[in-house]
Amino acid sequence: MSAAIASLASYGSDSDSENESESNTSPEKVDPDATAHLKPLQSGPTMSLAVLNSAPEVAVKEAVETGIHLDPSLKEVSYNPTFETMFAPEFGPVNPYKTQQMAAPRNMLSGYAEPAHVNDFMFEQQRRTFSTFGYALDPSIDTSQVSSNSYIGAVDEAEKNKGLTVFESGSKKSEKRKKVKGGDAAEIDNFLGPWAKYADEKDVAKPSEEEQKELDEITAKRQKKGRNEEEAPAEEKTILHVKDMYDYQGRSYLHVPQDVGINLRSADVPDKCYLPKKQLHVWSGHTKGVSAIRLFPSSGHLLLSCSMDCHSKAVRDICFNNSGNQFLSAAYDRYLKLWDSETGQCISRFTNRKVPYCVKFNPDDDKQNLFVAGMSDKKIVQWDIRTGEVVQEYDRHLGAVNTITFVDENRRFVSTSDDKSLRVWEWDIPVDFKYIAEPSMHSMPAVTLSPNGKWLACQSMDNQILIFGAQNRFRLNKKKIFKGHMVAGYACQVDFSPDMRAVEQTLLSTLCASPGELTGAV
């Protein structure tokens, strides 16, 4: 053991000294403190450890501690703190800009709430009582000792109601009204059952004097505004502007002339039609704008025009029957009138208290007693001139109906409306079987059927003339769209040339715009 300690003590010397130490057998003396950590612990009394304080010495001043901090979470204090200590801020100095409400202690956003045991029924009862009467019991006061000071809110109301809640102060249900006995169920004639009258029921209800005065005032106001009384139709007046109604042979002016060098009764289409190049004639007579022009059926030797120069209301549309001896007019006075073309007498009147925008006879010879009218209340109404009654209503449009055009050999008709749609109807069936509406479509206030019955020309309010197929599909022909006229805002009539050649050139759009004048061109 001593040899090992000696070798460790001489560790680090050079090799020569090591050789010399090996040759010298005499051991050298070793310091016992240097090898104390290598020796086992000796049994005996233990050594005491000294306490080391590494913190520097700092001088404590009495002025630094200005008061005793009181933990706000404490529920019990063993000494009597001062007012400043109890209400000192938790952190930092007092904020001089805080209001009393902001400085008040709170444990939630709306204030300071303490837990209290109130069952759900009592809480709901007091809440409803406070909402209804404005008072409620103070939850911090024992309910066994209730007095006038035990309520919060409207204390006077609480004293008046003696503190009753909404569940206690409700009025008692009134007794049920007694009914007259219904008799025996076996007697069918005298048995009343549940349909019997009440015993105190009055058969005639007569208003009191005050109620009667109020009713009279309301009735007078309505009569003054014209709501109760229907407007009577204006008196019709006819003026004949020719010297003689009949010629020497007894023929009226409706007779088709045969001495003009043209066969006006011929249905043959000319080989080629030309565009008009110059003005031929001007018909004057109207004092205001002309709204519609119709040629006499088959021959076209007479013109029928309607205008806005009526003495009461303007005329919107007109239509001849197949023979031309009668025609219909639709005016803003809410009446449709049937006239005799020869005498000018009004035969009958039709109205549903709405403004008619367009009117058309059924073109079939066996249905000349029926006509349809597009109204301002989004409906198409069908009348029978023999009875003067409405026989059918077509109610699917979402706006006022502007045009009605018969297609497909008069088995169907097409209508356009302010709702920017085109609808196709079967005759006498009030449900449309075809509905055409696109986001890019505009209202189409004028529609014309082509002479061959295959196409519909529609004047659109975006300054275009659109061509739709008039047969099964009613599709828009995108290759035939005509632009050029600035007609947005006007119902400009559209027409085809009779020969249907060069549609781009012969499809005309003209507006009867000259106030009081009709212009003819060749």
Side-chain angles (χ1 to χ4, degrees):
M1 185 65 183
S2 59
I5 293 172
S7 62
L8 288 173
S10 60
Y11 180 79
S13 61
D14 55 359
S15 59
D16 294 337
S17 61
E18 289 179 358
N19 294 332
E20 290 177 358
S21 63
E22 290 178 358
S23 61
N24 298 329
T25 57
S26 58
E28 296 181 359
K29 294 181 179 180
V30 181
D31 187 3
D33 295 333
T35 60
H37 63 284
L38 299 175
K39 296 178 181 180
L41 297 175
Q42 297 178 0
S43 59
T46 58
M47 299 174 64
S48 61
L49 299 176
V51 179
L52 181 61
N53 186 6
S54 60
E57 294 184 2
V58 179
V60 179
K61 296 183 179 180
E62 296 180 357
V64 173
E65 188 68 23
T66 57
I68 300 174
H69 177 69
L70 183 63
D71 189 357
S73 62
L74 290 177
K75 301 297 182 180
E76 185 176 338
V77 183
S78 58
Y79 63 95
N80 189 13
T82 61
F83 179 83
E84 290 78 8
T85 302
M86 292 181 63
F87 292 94
E90 297 182 13
F91 304 102
V94 179
N95 187 355
Y97 301 105
K98 271 190 176 181
T99 61
Q100 184 180 1
Q101 183 179 3
M102 295 172 62
R106 63 175 65 186
N107 59 357
M108 58 187 301
L109 185 62
S110 58
Y112 189 83
E114 293 183 355
H117 176 69
V118 180
N119 59 36
D120 295 339
F121 175 76
M122 286 296 297
F123 178 82
E124 188 65 19
Q125 183 189 50
Q126 296 302 321
R127 186 190 69 80
R128 292 191 181 186
T129 303
F130 188 82
S131 300
T132 306
F133 301 114
Y135 64 86
L137 278 174
D138 190 351
S140 62
I141 298 177
D142 189 3
T143 56
S144 61
Q145 301 176 355
V146 177
S147 63
S148 60
N149 299 327
S150 303
Y151 294 94
I152 57 174
V155 181
D156 297 338
E157 192 71 19
E159 293 178 356
K160 180 180 177 181
N161 295 336
K162 298 180 181 180
L164 296 179
T165 63
V166 288
F167 300 112
E168 299 170 344
S169 61
S171 59
K172 296 182 179 180
K173 292 183 178 179
S174 60
E175 296 181 359
K176 289 185 176 180
R177 298 173 64 187
K178 294 182 180 179
K179 287 189 174 183
V180 179
K181 292 184 179 180
D184 189 5
E187 299 179 4
I188 299 177
D189 296 334
N190 298 326
F191 180 68
L192 300 177
W195 301 278
K197 296 181 179 180
Y198 289 101
D200 57 347
E201 183 177 354
K202 295 181 181 180
D203 294 337
V204 179
K206 186 177 181 180
S208 61
E209 294 182 0
E210 296 180 357
E211 293 175 347
Q212 187 63 39
K213 289 181 180 179
E214 292 181 0
L215 290 174
D216 294 341
E217 291 177 0
I218 294 173
T219 306
K221 288 180 180 178
R222 289 184 177 178
Q223 290 179 352
K224 187 177 180 181
K225 293 181 179 179
R227 296 179 182 176
N228 230 11
E229 298 180 357
E230 295 185 357
E231 294 181 4
E235 183 181 357
E236 297 84 8
K237 183 174 64 174
T238 302
I239 300 175
L240 182 64
H241 294 278
V242 295
K243 293 182 179 180
D244 297 322
M245 183 179 293
Y246 304 97
D247 60 5
Y248 67 98
Q249 294 183 354
R251 299 174 299 185
S252 70
Y253 62 91
L254 297 182
H255 179 72
V256 180
Q258 301 177 359
D259 56 351
V260 293
I262 301 174
N263 185 10
L264 295 176
R265 297 182 179 181
S266 174
D268 296 336
V269 178
D271 296 334
K272 188 174 182 180
C273 296
Y274 299 91
L275 293 176
K277 297 181 180 180
K278 65 178 180 178
Q279 178 179 306
L280 181 65
H281 188 74
V282 176
W283 289 269
S284 300
H286 288 295
T287 58
K288 292 185 180 179
V290 180
S291 54
I293 301 172
R294 299 290 182 263
L295 292 172
F296 195 83
S298 301
S299 62
H301 69 290
L302 295 175
L303 283 175
L304 177 65
S305 63
C306 62
S307 175
M308 302 178 185
D309 54 3
C310 180
H311 64 277
S312 59
K313 302 285 184 177
V315 182
R316 174 68 184 250
D317 195 17
I318 46 178
C319 179
F320 274 113
N321 62 0
N322 287 355
S323 60
N325 61 346
Q326 294 177 349
F327 67 91
L328 285 165
S329 64
Y332 284 100
D333 60 356
R334 298 183 174 89
Y335 276 89
L336 293 129
K337 296 184 179 182
L338 179 66
W339 303 80
D340 187 281
S341 301
E342 183 176 348
T343 63
Q345 299 298 317
C346 181
I347 300 173
S348 56
R349 306 171 187 86
F350 313 89
T351 182
N352 66 344
R353 308 311 306 158
K354 303 297 178 182
V355 177
Y357 281 1
C358 57
V359 61
K360 282 289 176 66
F361 272 106
N362 189 309
D364 287 342
D365 292 333
D366 58 343
K367 296 184 180 67
Q368 286 292 285
N369 61 304
L370 300 174
F371 71 91
V372 287
M375 314 301 289
S376 61
D377 62 346
K378 314 171 189 177
K379 295 180 181 179
I380 300 173
V381 185
Q382 179 179 326
W383 268 281
D384 190 336
I385 62 176
R386 297 173 299 185
T387 61
E389 296 180 354
V390 176
V391 294
Q392 189 62 272
E393 283 188 355
Y394 307 84
D395 185 9
R396 300 284 283 182
H397 276 293
L398 303 177
V401 181
N402 293 323
T403 65
I404 297 174
T405 308
F406 283 87
V407 297
D408 195 12
E409 298 180 353
N410 307 322
R411 291 176 295 190
R412 301 170 180 172
F413 64 90
V414 178
S415 63
T416 61
S417 168
D418 285 343
D419 60 3
K420 304 179 183 180
S421 69
L422 185 146
R423 296 176 188 262
V424 186
W425 313 77
E426 295 279 357
W427 175 255
D428 217 13
I429 298 178
V431 179
D432 54 333
F433 81 93
K434 187 74 174 180
Y435 170 69
I436 302 173
E438 297 291 339
S440 59
M441 287 179 61
H442 289 69
S443 177
M444 295 176 288
V447 178
T448 300
L449 181 67
S450 64
N452 58 8
K454 294 182 179 180
W455 307 100
L456 283 171
C458 306
Q459 181 247 318
S460 178
M461 296 296 277
D462 58 347
N463 301 321
Q464 295 185 119
I465 297 175
L466 306 179
I467 305 297
F468 288 89
Q471 295 179 338
N472 292 330
R473 301 195 177 211
F474 294 91
R475 287 186 176 179
L476 174 65
N477 190 343
K478 296 182 179 180
K479 295 182 179 179
K480 301 292 184 181
I481 296 178
F482 303 91
K483 302 178 182 179
H485 281 293
M486 300 297 293
V487 295
Y490 299 93
C492 299
Q493 298 298 322
V494 184
D495 204 355
F496 289 87
S497 63
D499 59 355
M500 288 293 296
R501 294 178 59 185
V503 178
E504 294 86 358
Q505 295 181 1
T506 59
L507 185 64
L508 304 180
S509 172
T510 59
L511 172 67
C512 303
S514 301
E517 292 185 354
L518 303 178
T519 303
V522 295

